């Protein structure tokens, strides 16, 4: 679990270089990951979608391209990040804490969160709150970093903990923020552990898929059509 005060301050400090740094550090692969999530969402043809921890709006903007008729609301608890989401043409944006969302139950067909759940103070509480605002039969889609297994495990661990903070520090001047981000990846549940978390929080079905040899993963939790 994370310190929300530190996270909010960290993202405020790196907001103006956040998108560029992500693209450089992932060599553009993060763009492909978001496109995949957008395709997953488009297949469900949602009427209303909530993109949590929307940040600079990268995922919400990608979904908007694939789902032009969907009402998309972006929410983030870091006000400075939303400035860049507005520059992407996203108008329906709010400052909100994912642990206390200002929406009634059963409001959205889809909830998405990319690289955001990992930074929240209470993962089960956040997932449960996302489930609350989903309509029965709706789906939660989570995109986040994970750790590759096997032969890539050690080299990627070195890159994540030694190389990434240094490069990101040069790009943003905020090395400590990326040292935190690197450490948070190792602590975050992935694969079957994330599937178990989703089910424990009331999702009837949970799936996971490793992307780019396990550097990232996408998860989907389906809200039961009936709670009975």
């Amino acid at each position: 679990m994370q310190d929300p005060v530190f996270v909010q301050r960290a993202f405020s400090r790196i907001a103006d270089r956040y998108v560029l740094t992500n693209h450089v550090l992932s060599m553009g692969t993060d763009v492909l990951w978001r496109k995949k999530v957008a395709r997953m969402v488009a297949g469900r043809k949602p009427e209303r979608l909530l993109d949590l921890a929307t940040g600079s709006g990268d995922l919400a903007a990608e979904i908007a391209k694939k789902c032009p008729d969907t009402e998309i609301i972006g929410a983030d608890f870091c006000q400075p990040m939303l400035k860049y989401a507005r520059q992407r043409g996203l108008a329906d944006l709010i400052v909100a804490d994912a642990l206390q969302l200002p929406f009634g139950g059963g409001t959205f067909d889809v909830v998405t969160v990319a690289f955001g759940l990992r930074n929240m103070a209470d993962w089960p509480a956040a997932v449960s709150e996302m489930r609350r605002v989903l309509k029965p039969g709706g789906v939660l889609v989570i995109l986040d970093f994970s750790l590759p297994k096997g032969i890539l495990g050690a080299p990627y661990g070195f890159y994540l903990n030694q190389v990434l903070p240094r490069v990101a520090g040069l790009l943003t001047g905020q090395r400590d923020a990326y040292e935190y981000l690197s450490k948070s990846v190792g602590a975050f549940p992935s694969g079957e552990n994330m599937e178990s978390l989703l089910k424990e929080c009331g999702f009837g079905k949970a799936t996971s898929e490793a992307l780019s040899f396990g550097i990232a993963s996408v998860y989907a939790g389906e809200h039961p059509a009936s709670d009975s």
Side-chain angles (χ1 to χ4, degrees):
M1 309 306 176
Q2 311 303 342
D3 176 356
V5 175
F6 175 82
V7 170
Q8 189 174 52
R9 289 175 178 171
F11 278 94
S12 296
R13 286 186 281 128
I14 64 177
D16 60 340
R17 293 292 185 92
Y18 180 75
V19 175
L20 172 63
T21 305
N22 280 352
H23 294 342
V24 170
L25 294 175
S26 71
M27 294 179 287
T29 312
D30 62 309
V31 175
L32 301 179
W33 299 336
R34 291 185 181 90
K35 287 183 181 294
K36 178 178 179 63
V37 172
R39 291 194 299 271
M40 291 173 61
V41 170
R44 301 188 69 91
K45 297 180 173 59
E47 292 183 7
R48 300 191 75 195
L49 178 144
L50 174 64
D51 184 45
L52 274 178
T54 196
S56 51
D58 298 68
L59 180 58
E62 192 62 45
I63 293 173
K65 295 177 187 175
K66 295 285 194 299
C67 306
D69 297 324
T70 299
E71 178 188 354
I72 299 174
I73 297 175
D76 201 292
F77 84 148
C78 183
Q79 174 71 53
M81 294 293 288
L82 295 180
K83 169 186 173 182
Y84 299 94
R86 291 190 182 90
Q87 292 176 358
R88 291 176 175 273
L90 300 169
D92 205 346
L93 301 168
I94 64 168
V95 177
D97 184 346
L99 299 180
Q100 294 180 314
L101 293 172
F103 305 106
T107 301
F108 299 97
D109 302 289
V110 174
V111 174
T112 57
V113 55
F115 309 109
L117 176 60
R118 175 170 42 86
N119 298 313
M120 294 176 188
D122 188 325
W123 301 326
V127 170
S128 296
E129 182 69 349
M130 295 174 203
R131 178 184 177 277
R132 181 186 69 79
V133 300
L134 274 172
K135 296 177 182 178
V139 64
L140 166 64
V141 182
I142 301 166
L143 172 64
D144 218 310
F145 291 113
S146 50
L147 295 176
K149 299 179 180 179
I151 193 170
L152 290 178
Y156 183 73
F158 178 79
Y159 167 77
L160 180 68
N161 294 294
Q162 302 298 325
V163 178
L164 185 151
R166 287 181 169 86
V167 175
L170 291 173
L171 291 171
T172 66
Q174 305 293 338
R175 178 172 169 174
D176 66 319
Y178 283 90
E179 288 177 339
Y180 150 75
L181 290 172
S182 297
K183 292 176 182 177
S184 70
V185 173
F188 191 60
S190 61
E192 293 181 355
N193 291 330
M194 178 58 73
E195 291 180 26
S196 296
L197 174 61
L198 290 171
K199 292 176 181 177
E200 289 168 5
C201 294
F203 286 91
K205 180 181 179 182
T207 60
S208 61
E209 180 181 353
L211 307 176
S212 301
F213 305 103
I215 292 173
S217 295
V218 61
Y219 310 95
E222 294 189 9
H223 190 307
S226 172
D227 288 328
S228 60

